[in-house]
Amino acid sequence: MMTDADNPTDGTPAGGDATMRVQQLFVRHQGIVKAFILSLQPGFADADDVLQETFLVVTRRAADFREGTNFVAWACSIARLKLFEARRKATSPALSEAALNALCDDTPDDSFFQARLGALRECLQTLAPRAKELVWLRYHSELASQEIADRLAWKEPAVRVALSKARVFLRECVQGRLAKGGA
Amino acid sequence: MKDTELSRLIDAHLDGRLSASEAEALSQLLVRDADARRQFWEQTAVHGLLPEATQLEWLGKAAPEPERNVVRVAWWRWAVPLAAAAALVLLAVVWRASQPNVPASTGVALLSRVVGAQWADAADERAAGAVLSPGTLRLNSGAVMVEFYSGARVVLEGPAELELVSAKEAFLRAGKLSAHVPPPARGFTVGSPAARVVDLGTEFGLAVTDAATAEVHVFNGKVEVLAANAAKTQSLNAGDSTRLAGGAWTRGTSDRAKFLGEAELFQRSAAQSELRLAAWRVTSRAWSGSGLADDRPRLPELSLRLHYPFDAGSPVERVLTNAVAGAPLESHGSIVGGAWGEGRWPGKRALEFRGAGDRVRFTGPESFAQVTFLAWVCVEALPQPLHALVSADAERTGALRWELTRDGRLRLNVGRDLGRRRLDWEAVNSAPFVTSERLGQWLLLATTFDGHVIRHFGNGRFIGEGPSFTPPALHLGAAELGNSPNPSIRPLIGSVDEFAVLTRALSAEEVREFYERGKP
């Protein structure tokens, strides 16, 4: 059913041009770009705004992208500018611009995120059912910890503590797997 | 990981709970210490990657998502064929256990834009184009624009709770809004627990944090503000702000940056649409098996037989391309009548069905055991008892007809030859879904039949099911989309911008995922 790579398709407007190519790359690597943004801008809604604005700039500057260079690094360099714009508008305490700068200069490359993504998928399967449910409500359904608390009839701090524990578990599991497989 | 204090600060950062001094301490540490930065990336990567890691891999793999908030619809119903000798046309008699109230169309406003909105209750989810009746909008995050019938426009920024009282009045229980009130809407009033704001033709912002606090900023024109327990109003002019807290007013100057304005909302909305359209295009191509070569190995066997993305060629083209890789020629649709209009996003096309003759003729699969219909549809009206979505020409056992009823139920009919003069059609209806408040919005309609049970879904949510007889095989064959050769089934009035037929019953999770990836 899906053998012919170049089967003519529904045809996207001006199919095959640089814009379409860059958009495809963006959509494919969106998870990693989003991880980069979420690390520095942890709120989902704010991170989505940054992601969307990054996408617009990436689309506009499609012609600047050179095939064969690292797409994720290019997209993250654009996301970085957008993060700084968002930082200037922030009202609640956040990392300083100097800290953001230092972190951005030290951003791991996409193989760092790719490796952790693969391990994370496996580690998710080993989470206890309750923790898994919490993680799904928080990260798949993107509910706030208060909403999760309402839904499960828990106290909000208990949800936060449990989520934090789940993240620690996942981090240790991911590192265990990387140490076993990678080193 | 050795540094537990650093670890605690990073966790507070991820929870958005850094105090000013903690933010300062963490920032300094990160600037100073390369090891701290390494730990930062290691620790935040899990948070950052989890949204991606919890995604379904395309369609097909079961999600471990605990769907505990799915409300099973108790009032499913199904029809029994009636042996009515007098009836020349089949009559499916539908019995119902209870009849939920279908709200009459008493709209006071239109939901004109929706950007990244998370609704407090998934059942309240509304898309752009929705007519809003008096009632409460509860937004957890994101932003929406509400255009009142009086002409007043409000940008509501989540988290917020806004009650629509009438075309001229709203009540902000919590959150922030900015209002733009052109001259015809003068007198538009926004209440809040602590104070009322009467607009005299202008632009203003209102923020409510709790029952005793209200903050009003005037950007243009003039408003009158009345505290809940006071008799005397005060006037505010452009550039003024006032804050009521603890029963006392504090005057100041207005600050536009505190409120999300229309221009900014439009910008965000355009950015969101463009990204969603691009994401849909990539997903859609991979789904049809026609995307980038390296996207395809992740694709499970979908039994996708027909997929019209309505995203092809030039508008004068009268052929609707079946995007499934290697699709037989006869599966491409032939457009009869129907005009091209705008689809779910700007830049995405849709086919409009308006006239009695409008339809798409196509040849669907024949002889299969299970089926899923998926269609993104914007329904304008349902004036007749039955409106066609898909109709097989053939009158034979196992033939399929997919319809909408006047009260907005999805309905799947399966032909059954009981040896009478006319073929019987057995139908299973959903609960009402395409009701008046959902007209004019893009909706994902989906129905699955696994050979035993017919299940219906609206916007990815279960909306009813019923048992069916098991025909030896299901058939589409020569068929049409948006119309029916049977004159008792009226044409669809609305637009379609994606349509797919699978010869497998998708799971509820898969339908939900299809919705999430395609929702406007």
Side-chain angles (χ1 to χ4, degrees), chain A residues 18-29:
Chain A
T19 306
M20 184 61 196
R21 172 72 188 152
V22 153
Q23 290 188 341
Q24 284 181 322
L25 285 169
F26 189 91
V27 171
R28 186 130 42 88
H29 295 295

Side-chain angles (χ1 to χ4, degrees), chain A residues 76-157:
Chain A
C76 286
S77 71
I78 290 168
R80 173 178 178 166
L81 300 176
K82 293 292 161 194
L83 276 165
F84 275 93
E85 282 174 24
R87 167 70 182 81
R88 270 169 229 133
K89 284 188 256 174
T91 46
S92 53
L95 296 177
S96 69
E97 292 204 11
L100 282 186
N101 255 325
L103 285 167
C104 284
D105 288 343
D106 274 4
T107 306
D109 62 14
D110 58 320
S111 62
F112 169 94
F113 290 106
Q114 282 298 356
R116 276 151 191 79
L117 179 59
L120 188 56
R121 286 210 175 98
E122 293 168 18
C123 288
L124 275 170
Q125 305 310 318
T126 66
L127 263 183
R130 198 78 217 195
K132 198 191 245 181
E133 180 173 9
L134 279 176
V135 166
W136 240 265
L137 288 171
R138 179 82 184 104
Y139 288 96
H140 184 79
S141 310
E142 301 199 350
L143 297 182
S145 47
Q146 183 60 57
E147 297 166 68
I148 298 173
D150 293 346
R151 193 173 285 199
L152 303 181
W154 284 26
K155 294 244 186 315
E156 194 265 349

Side-chain angles (χ1 to χ4, degrees), chain B residues 308 320 333-336 351 353 358-362 479-481:
Chain B
Y308 298 146
L320 207 52
S334 181
I335 300 171
V336 181
L351 195 62
F353 297 82
D358 295 354
R359 68 195 65 204
V360 174
R361 295 286 314 170
F362 67 94
E480 48 197 47
L481 176 65

Side-chain angles (χ1 to χ4, degrees), chain A residues 12 106 133 147 164 175, chain B residues 11 37 42 68 140 285:
Chain A
T12 333
D106 274 4
E133 180 173 9
E147 297 166 68
S164 175
Q175 274 164 358
Chain B
D11 237 28
R37 294 197 288 277
E42 202 63 67
R68 49 169 60 238
N140 281 345
R285 283 166 159 237

Side-chain angles (χ1 to χ4, degrees), chain B residues 219-480:
Chain B
F219 310 127
N220 247 321
K222 188 175 178 181
V223 304
E224 285 189 341
V225 182
L226 175 67
N229 52 2
K232 207 167 109 270
T233 62
Q234 51 172 319
S235 293
L236 290 185
N237 292 310
D240 293 343
S241 77
T242 188
R243 182 183 156 82
L244 175 66
W249 293 100
T250 318
R251 300 286 283 242
T253 52
S254 66
D255 181 4
R256 240 181 220 279
K258 278 195 154 177
F259 298 89
L260 182 69
E262 290 185 359
E264 206 184 334
L265 183 78
F266 284 14
Q267 211 179 351
R268 272 200 210 174
S269 148
Q272 179 183 281
S273 305
E274 248 187 272
L275 177 51
R276 290 203 69 89
L277 172 58
W280 171 82
R281 277 197 174 124
V282 173
T283 312
S284 167
R285 283 166 159 237
W287 205 57
S288 303
S290 53
L292 293 178
D294 40 349
D295 278 336
R296 269 184 272 146
R298 295 170 68 191
L299 190 73
E301 174 55 49
L302 272 169
S303 314
L304 182 63
R305 303 295 287 274
L306 205 67
H307 184 210
Y308 298 146
F310 292 79
D311 199 29
S314 81
V316 292
E317 188 73 66
R318 305 307 285 168
V319 173
L320 207 52
T321 311
N322 178 6
V324 176
L329 269 182
E330 65 273 18
S331 68
H332 300 310
S334 181
I335 300 171
V336 181
W340 287 105
E342 189 167 81
R344 273 169 282 172
W345 305 278
K348 166 80 179 75
R349 282 187 292 128
L351 195 62
E352 293 174 352
F353 297 82
R354 294 275 185 280
D358 295 354
R359 68 195 65 204
V360 174
R361 295 286 314 170
F362 67 94
T363 304
E366 299 212 51
S367 289
F368 43 95
Q370 299 191 343
V371 74
T372 299
F373 288 111
L374 296 161
W376 276 99
V377 182
C378 177
V379 181
E380 303 292 342
L382 293 169
Q384 303 290 335
L386 290 174
H387 290 271
L389 288 166
V390 174
S391 229
D393 286 1
E395 303 238 330
R396 61 193 282 198
T397 294
L400 296 168
R401 287 181 174 172
W402 195 35
E403 295 153 3
L404 283 168
T405 67
R406 182 172 6 219
D407 55 355
R409 297 167 200 272
L410 265 173
R411 174 185 181 89
L412 186 70
N413 300 269
V414 185
R416 184 173 200 179
D417 190 348
L418 294 171
R420 285 196 281 269
R421 275 178 60 203
R422 284 285 187 136
L423 186 76
D424 283 324
W425 292 90
E426 295 195 6
V428 172
N429 287 2
S430 74
F433 176 70
V434 192
T435 43
S436 58
E437 74 276 7
R438 288 203 176 88
L439 296 176
Q441 300 169 59
W442 285 103
L443 305 171
L444 176 66
L445 306 179
T447 296
T448 66
F449 180 28
D450 61 8
H452 304 283
V453 180
I454 291 172
R455 291 190 175 86
H456 298 289
F457 302 87
N459 281 348
R461 275 168 211 291
F462 177 74
I463 51 170
E465 67 179 9
S468 162
F469 81 104
T470 302
L474 300 173
H475 303 281
L476 266 179
E480 48 197 47

